[in-house]
Amino acid sequence: DFFTLEEFNKFINVADNTVYKILFDVLFFTGIRIGEALALTFEDFNNDYLTINKTISKEFYNGKRAVTLPKTKKSIRTILIDSKLSEEINALHEYYNKTFKCVNQNFYIFGGIKPLSNTTVERYKNKYCDLANVKRIRIHDFRHSHATLLISNNVPISAVTERLGHSNISTTLNVYTHFVKEDEKRVISTLNSLRQLPNV
């Protein structure tokens, strides 16, 4: 399942908590996994991109969630971000500065001293879905929403593969095969219209 841009806009417009609002913006507009997002520190943020090189496990060790390497080698990547997202993350840095009085590069972008918890993120997501009167999607579906947004706007599948950190293009094609079928329909529609043109 996924959000269309229209559905996402309804969802994000009811978000009343700055930290969670920006988290959902990052998930929708980058396609990174929730564990990758929660592991981000300000050291991983440059005004133009996010460096994805770690993830947070759902399991706890000695009372803390483990920070580990991402799923695959291909998952270690740099993701370009749009200017609005960059502004939001910079604003979040200022927000933490006021809250904690000092912010270092090891602060988590989503949480500050310690990362947000998955269960709280889930609770806010459901709350905003209900307030916006849009379907409840899974947190992982923000990733699908991002890929769907790109593919439906004719971004090459190879670029989507790199952005998502998939091991190879066939993984992306397998997940988003319904778009490939839609492209095939467009091909036939184009060929049919071209064949109906009078001979010159």
Side-chain angles (χ1 to χ4, degrees), residues 9 12 29 52 57 83 88 101 124 140 168 190:
N9 284 335
I12 209 67
F29 289 107
I52 312 298
S57 167
S83 55
E88 287 181 326
K101 304 305 176 199
Y124 272 90
H140 192 73
N168 52 60
T190 301

Side-chain angles (χ1 to χ4, degrees), residues 62-100:
N62 299 323
K64 290 183 178 179
R65 280 179 296 162
V67 178
T68 63
L69 289 172
K71 204 172 174 182
T72 64
K73 276 186 181 178
K74 199 75 174 170
S75 294
I76 298 172
R77 62 206 189 277
T78 298
I79 295 191
L80 289 170
I81 59 174
D82 63 84
S83 55
K84 187 171 181 184
L85 210 49
S86 180
E87 286 170 17
E88 287 181 326
I89 296 172
N90 276 313
L92 204 49
H93 190 278
E94 287 304 307
Y95 169 79
Y96 289 138
N97 225 0
K98 288 176 185 170
T99 306
F100 299 107

Side-chain angles (χ1 to χ4, degrees), residues 117-135:
S117 76
N118 290 68
T119 51
T120 312
V121 172
E122 181 73 20
R123 194 167 65 248
Y124 272 90
K125 183 262 299 173
N126 289 340
K127 173 188 168 184
Y128 295 150
C129 284
D130 294 346
L131 281 172
N133 197 26
V134 294
K135 62 183 176 271

Side-chain angles (χ1 to χ4, degrees), residues 35-190:
E36 294 170 340
L38 295 181
L40 286 171
T41 64
F42 284 102
E43 188 177 24
D44 303 317
F45 168 62
N46 170 294
N47 283 325
D48 299 320
Y49 59 82
L50 293 170
T51 299
I52 312 298
N53 55 20
K54 55 193 173 296
T55 188
I56 288 190
S57 167
K58 288 182 182 176
E59 285 75 41
F60 282 81
Y61 301 93
N62 299 323
K64 290 183 178 179
R65 280 179 296 162
V67 178
T68 63
L69 289 172
K71 204 172 174 182
T72 64
K73 276 186 181 178
K74 199 75 174 170
S75 294
I76 298 172
R77 62 206 189 277
T78 298
I79 295 191
L80 289 170
I81 59 174
D82 63 84
S83 55
K84 187 171 181 184
L85 210 49
S86 180
E87 286 170 17
E88 287 181 326
I89 296 172
N90 276 313
L92 204 49
H93 190 278
E94 287 304 307
Y95 169 79
Y96 289 138
N97 225 0
K98 288 176 185 170
T99 306
F100 299 107
K101 304 305 176 199
C102 64
V103 177
N104 64 50
Q105 290 298 87
N106 294 322
F107 265 54
Y108 290 98
I109 293 176
F110 302 109
I113 295 169
K114 63 179 185 177
L116 300 176
S117 76
N118 290 68
T119 51
T120 312
V121 172
E122 181 73 20
R123 194 167 65 248
Y124 272 90
K125 183 262 299 173
N126 289 340
K127 173 188 168 184
Y128 295 150
C129 284
D130 294 346
L131 281 172
N133 197 26
V134 294
K135 62 183 176 271
R136 283 191 182 188
I137 63 170
R138 301 171 306 155
I139 292 292
H140 192 73
D141 290 332
F142 282 84
R143 183 168 164 81
H144 292 315
S145 301
H146 180 69
T148 301
L149 179 70
L150 296 183
I151 295 168
S152 62
N153 281 280
N154 302 315
V155 172
I157 200 84
S158 56
V160 177
T161 297
E162 287 294 318
R163 196 161 173 85
L164 294 180
H166 282 161
S167 297
N168 52 60
I169 202 165
S170 62
T171 305
T172 316
L173 288 169
N174 287 339
V175 176
Y176 302 101
T177 187
H178 55 290
F179 279 104
V180 176
K181 287 176 182 171
E182 286 303 311
D183 285 342
E184 286 173 359
K185 287 179 188 173
R186 279 198 289 271
V187 168
I188 292 304
S189 174
T190 301

